Amino acid sequence: MTAKILVMPGDGVGPEICREAVRVLDALASDHGLDIELDEALVGGAAIDAEGDPLPEASLAAAREADAVLFGAIGGPAWDEQPRDKRPESGLLRLRSELGLFANLRPAILYPQLAHVSALKPEIVAGLDIMIVRELTGGIYFGKPSGLHTTASGRREAYNTMRYDEAEIDRIGRAAFDTARARSGRLCSVDKANVLDVSQLWRDVMNGLAGDYPDVELTHMYVDNAAMQLVRAPKQFDTVVTGNLFGDILSDAAAMLTGSIGMLPSASMDAAGKGLYEPVHGSAPDIAGQGVANPLAIILSVAMMLRYTLGRADLAAKVENAVGYALDRGLRTRDIMDDETQMASTQEMGGAIVDMLR
Ligand code: NAD
């Protein structure tokens, strides 16, 4: 069956890197029998400029209809002064929530060729391959009540609520156990069960699920220790599952172990396997239009799409291997290079991946 992929380039470097990702998809379609149909829609600042809305109805409808969304990046100084609901970022937040994308998968992989780019010693990070599964639509970012008011004594007071019900924990838990099963079979659940009731429930539900996954080894870690261990000995982790707030922080820390934001893909999935695939980085307004952005984060996001939505792990591996070969051959965009002479443009890097796929 033909899979429908919606491309949403967005702003800044978004369109430049999406162009390379589409070349990769086209090569897979023409040379490797990938059966896809591509469409494109406006989002972010580009959509505000064209239609006055960061997520126009037509874009949302197209995203609902698609099997997968390939998302570039959004935002930039031109829209920073807009009211919150008219900012580019609110388009992405609304898209994630309208599509029910509750599971965020963020791999932190350090290609051995780039071990020197990390701020940590190469022996600590070389060969790092962690998958962080973060709950994305619940927890303290969405819990009610929340608010800010002035108390009777005239002091301002603000509060948020960290809440999860067991069904929400169960579905992210299953997504994480499935992910761990497809990797090394090790899952570490991160919480703060020594202090928070919501974490105790989290831990109970995870322990309950373990019976359904006898082939996955489940361990638990408090979030403060997890933060420490990520920097001390990150290779002890394989798959990590955690809530929205802890995942937000830990996934950024894990990503930065790799030292190169231009290499990091991500996926946000619903219960039926539909996904929004995007690089971790933003629209990089400082380098937009210069042809120097690294397209590998979005190309690796295409690999995740192949694996998690399109059921083509074989092609995902081809794309990931092509990225490895390009690095072996010394190709480097500006963000990951250590010598001016080897610098490749966005288009050259994309072209090298396409050539290798062919
Ligand atoms: P950023 O990720 O855009 O850029 C941070 C730094 O990394 C910059 O120096 C940039 O040049 C560099 N960089 C980013 N992507 C790169 C790539 N592919 N190749 C080479 N270098 C790259 O973060 P920021 O500067 O904090 O934010 C810029 C804009 O992006 C803001 O408007 C922000 O709101 C938005 N943003 C969007 C998303 C998203 O679309 N999901 C995520 C984060 C930030």
Side-chain angles (χ1 to χ4, degrees):
M1 208 182 70
T2 307
K4 286 188 183 171
I5 298 172
L6 182 69
V7 182
M8 303 182 99
D11 311 316
V13 298
E16 300 166 42
I17 56 168
C18 273
R19 219 169 288 135
E20 302 312 312
V22 167
R23 286 169 76 196
V24 167
L25 283 166
D26 285 343
L28 293 172
S30 63
D31 292 27
H32 297 284
L34 179 66
D35 190 4
I36 48 169
E37 187 184 291
L38 296 179
D39 194 5
E40 194 171 310
L42 287 169
V43 73
I48 295 174
D49 290 350
E51 318 223 346
D53 181 347
L55 183 64
E57 274 312 308
S59 298
L60 178 58
R64 281 193 206 286
E65 224 187 273
D67 296 299
V69 176
L70 184 66
F71 193 97
I74 40 121
W79 305 281
D80 279 353
E81 304 307 319
Q82 302 266 357
R84 191 174 291 277
D85 64 324
K86 292 278 181 235
R87 295 237 192 109
E89 291 75 7
S90 59
L92 177 56
L93 291 180
R94 203 172 139 227
L95 184 60
R96 285 180 182 151
S97 108
E98 293 277 351
L99 296 182
L101 305 172
F102 69 92
N104 184 225
L105 271 58
R106 292 247 314 236
I109 297 172
L110 184 57
Y111 284 85
Q113 302 91 324
L114 300 179
H116 62 282
V117 193
S118 173
L120 298 193
K121 293 191 196 107
E123 62 269 25
I124 294 185
V125 287
L128 182 79
D129 183 355
I130 303 177
M131 175 70 85
I132 298 201
V133 181
R134 165 189 169 196
E135 201 289 327
L136 201 59
T137 53
I140 196 164
Y141 293 167
F142 295 92
K144 297 287 173 211
S146 69
L148 170 99
H149 65 210
T150 304
T151 62
S153 61
R155 262 190 232 147
R156 284 181 305 155
E157 176 185 73
Y159 48 94
N160 294 89
T161 304
M162 187 185 274
R163 66 158 291 289
Y164 276 114
D165 73 29
E166 54 189 334
E168 289 174 291
I169 304 171
D170 182 274
R171 70 176 182 176
I172 191 70
R174 286 185 190 280
F177 272 99
D178 287 337
T179 305
R181 176 177 268 173
R183 291 168 52 92
S184 75
R186 286 186 297 121
L187 177 62
C188 178
S189 173
V190 171
D191 62 37
K192 189 72 185 168
N194 49 344
V195 176
L196 300 174
D197 295 325
V198 62
S199 280
Q200 190 55 58
L201 178 64
W202 179 279
R203 195 173 275 221
D204 291 348
V205 174
M206 290 293 160
N207 281 334
L209 283 174
D212 291 349
Y213 295 86
D215 50 331
V216 176
E217 180 205 338
L218 174 69
T219 55
H220 301 277
M221 197 179 278
Y222 297 135
V223 63
D224 39 352
N225 187 26
M228 215 159 64
Q229 296 301 329
L230 262 181
V231 185
R232 195 186 69 85
K235 283 191 268 185
Q236 69 185 282
F237 295 105
D238 182 76
T239 307
V240 172
V241 63
T242 189
N244 205 343
L245 172 65
F246 301 155
D248 193 0
I249 299 164
L250 293 181
S251 62
D252 267 17
M256 280 308 103
L257 296 176
T258 71
S260 57
I261 197 165
M263 297 288 303
L264 299 167
S266 79
S268 304
M269 316 284 304
D270 76 0
K274 175 173 181 153
L276 181 140
Y277 297 86
E278 58 178 327
V280 164
H281 64 75
S283 60
D286 54 330
I287 57 167
Q290 298 175 21
V292 298
N294 188 345
L296 294 180
I298 195 160
I299 289 173
L300 290 167
S301 303
V302 167
M304 291 187 84
M305 177 191 290
L306 290 161
R307 181 169 284 121
Y308 294 112
T309 294
L310 305 181
R312 294 298 305 265
D314 57 329
L315 296 185
K318 273 195 195 309
V319 172
E320 288 158 355
N321 289 338
V323 169
Y325 290 141
L327 296 175
D328 280 344
R329 280 183 32 201
L331 274 158
R332 302 280 188 275
T333 44
R334 198 168 70 183
D335 55 310
I336 50 174
M337 74 176 183
D338 42 20
D339 171 2
E340 286 282 335
T341 53
Q342 59 180 191
M343 180 167 145
S345 67
T346 308
Q347 221 182 342
E348 284 163 347
M349 185 62 101
I353 305 299
V354 167
D355 287 348
M356 279 177 234
L357 290 173
R358 297 212 147 121

